[in-house]
């Protein structure tokens, strides 16, 4: 299976003919990356100044916009500059939503907004523990925000002004990866997930699905041998392009690049055309039990 599926549109508001739309959904749910080579997130006059790592506050790796509170975090900017930065990030969120609502129209009524992030820091420069090291192949799972099997759909836009690509590695199919690691993953300690919710460590109850996805994420990143020898492909996303992928399903690693926008959407398994491909269903099948 080719890792990328090209979608030839040049507008955030483009609609696809029904046959192409069906191909896009099937490809995405099978674990391919929807790649939009002719679509770019254009900056407006005055926004070029935000293409500077100093826009970030140096503590968080991303500048992020909370979709409910409309609150910007991770920036040191204040006043009008902060408002301008927030407007740029919010405009990307609106574009990403328009794109997904049209290209993946069946998901539209079910989409739940996650955070929008702007990443002005060079990937290679990020100091990180292995758990936070996104240059290691992994599937996404959130330690503090259980999603109970809901999918993590992410839209990315490379806005690098020097024409530099975003370099990723893509790993093996989810089921192969899960089969490999599941025997090594420990069950949760009795009462631990309840205690984490009560102490505010997790926002909501961490289901068994969340537990095993997080354990899988950590085990993949920790295994340096696996990182080297597992089946993988290098992919370059050029500047001024966009791509969308289920990052809870597709094993990925960010190797290099700077100046990226990302919008997260959550999609319920019930909204998928092929729910059997969802990590929740794959793990439930492999483990022979309900996980969420
Ligand atoms: Fe990731």
């Amino acid at each position: 299976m080719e890792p990328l599926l090209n979608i030839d549109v040049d507008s955030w508001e483009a609609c696809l003919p029904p046959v192409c739309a069906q191909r896009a959904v099937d490809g995405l749910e099978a674990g391919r990356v929807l790649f939009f080579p002719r679509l770019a997130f254009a900056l407006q006059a005055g926004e070029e100044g935000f293409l500077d790592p100093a826009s970030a506050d140096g503590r968080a790796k991303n500048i992020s916009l909370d979709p409910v509170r409309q609150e910007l975090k991770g920036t040191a900017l204040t006043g009008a500059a902060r408002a301008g930065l927030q407007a740029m990030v919010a405009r990307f969120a609106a574009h990403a939503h328009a794109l997904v609502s049209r290209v993946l129209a069946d998901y539209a009524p079910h989409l739940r907004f996650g955070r929008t992030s702007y990443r002005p820091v060079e990937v290679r420069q990020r100091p990180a523990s292995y758990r936070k090291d996104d240059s290691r192949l992994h599937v996404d799972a959130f330690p503090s925000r259980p999603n109970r099997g809901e999918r993590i759909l992410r839209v990315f836009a490379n806005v690098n002004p020097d024409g530099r690509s975003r370099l990723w590695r893509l790993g093996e199919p989810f089921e192969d990866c899960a089969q490999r690691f599941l025997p090594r993953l420990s069950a949760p300690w009795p009462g631990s997930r309840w205690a984490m919710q009560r102490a505010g460590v997790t926002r909501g109850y961490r289901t068994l699905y969340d537990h095993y996805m997080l354990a899988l994420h950590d085990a993949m990143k920790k295994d340096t041998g696996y990182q080297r020898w597992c089946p993988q492909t290098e992919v370059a996303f050029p500047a001024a392009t966009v791509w969308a992928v289920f990052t809870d399903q597709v094993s990925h690693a960010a190797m290099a690049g700077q100046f990226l926008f990302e919008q997260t959407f959550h999609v319920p398994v019930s909204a998928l055309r092929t729910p059997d491909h969802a990590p929740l269903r794959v793990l439930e099948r492999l483990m022979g039990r309900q996980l969420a």
Side-chain angles (χ1 to χ4, degrees):
M1 185 171 73
E2 278 293 311
L4 303 192
L5 176 59
N6 279 15
I7 309 283
D8 192 27
V9 300
D10 60 2
S11 157
W12 294 93
E13 263 124 48
C15 290
L16 294 179
V19 177
C20 298
Q22 192 168 320
R23 237 180 95 229
V25 175
D26 287 344
L28 183 75
E29 293 185 5
R32 298 179 75 182
V33 178
L34 301 187
F35 178 50
F36 301 83
R38 292 200 301 134
L39 186 61
F41 179 59
L43 300 195
Q44 293 182 348
E47 290 178 340
E48 299 83 3
F50 299 131
L51 295 174
D52 182 341
S55 299
D57 65 10
R59 291 192 298 274
K61 63 181 183 179
N62 302 329
I63 293 165
S64 67
L65 182 62
D66 182 299
V68 178
R69 295 180 194 157
Q70 287 296 300
E71 189 182 24
L72 197 67
K73 283 188 179 162
T75 179
L77 299 182
T78 56
R82 186 190 184 88
L85 177 63
Q86 178 160 340
M88 178 177 76
V89 176
R91 194 173 74 254
F92 176 73
H95 279 341
H97 185 244
L99 182 74
V100 169
S101 300
R102 287 169 176 79
V103 171
L104 305 166
D106 289 351
Y107 297 168
H110 311 284
L111 289 176
R112 187 166 64 79
F113 257 97
R115 287 184 191 170
T116 319
S117 80
Y118 169 49
R119 308 176 185 185
V121 178
E122 167 59 48
V123 167
R124 285 189 224 257
Q125 291 174 355
R126 286 184 199 153
S129 71
Y130 80 84
R131 282 194 179 87
K132 291 185 176 172
D133 182 1
D134 289 336
S135 70
R136 300 177 187 220
L137 286 164
H138 65 283
V139 289
D140 284 348
F142 304 133
S144 61
R145 285 168 285 145
N147 62 25
R148 300 171 194 84
E150 271 195 338
R151 309 302 312 276
I152 302 171
L153 174 62
R154 291 186 145 170
V155 178
F156 299 89
N158 181 359
V159 294
N160 190 283
D162 305 317
R164 282 182 54 213
S165 295
R166 191 90 176 171
L167 303 181
W168 276 22
R169 289 184 292 147
L170 294 171
E172 62 186 341
F174 182 82
E175 184 150 353
D176 295 355
C177 178
Q179 257 171 339
R180 197 188 297 281
F181 282 97
L182 268 184
R184 309 187 208 167
L185 307 183
S186 308
W189 289 97
S192 60
R193 291 173 293 141
W194 175 84
M196 280 189 286
Q197 180 182 7
R198 194 171 163 109
V201 175
T202 56
R203 196 184 296 170
Y205 185 64
R206 184 184 284 179
T207 63
L208 284 174
Y209 170 77
D210 294 295
H211 169 82
Y212 284 108
M213 284 298 286
L214 201 55
L216 177 60
H217 166 275
D218 290 355
M220 290 172 74
K221 283 187 173 177
K222 193 174 183 185
D223 190 335
T224 49
Y226 174 77
Q227 292 290 328
R228 280 197 303 274
W229 59 251
C230 78
Q232 55 192 280
T233 321
E234 286 183 12
V235 180
F237 298 103
T241 65
V242 169
W243 60 104
V245 56
F246 276 125
T247 55
D248 54 351
Q249 176 180 4
V250 175
S251 166
H252 60 284
M255 306 312 294
Q258 187 176 11
F259 304 117
L260 181 85
F261 284 87
E262 175 267 321
Q263 175 63 52
T264 299
F265 296 101
H266 296 286
V267 185
V269 172
S270 59
L272 303 175
R273 265 171 61 86
T274 47
D276 283 352
H277 290 148
L280 174 65
R281 296 286 176 254
V282 172
L283 291 181
E284 287 183 335
R285 195 164 62 244
L286 293 175
M287 298 180 78
R289 61 185 299 191
Q290 195 176 338
L291 298 175

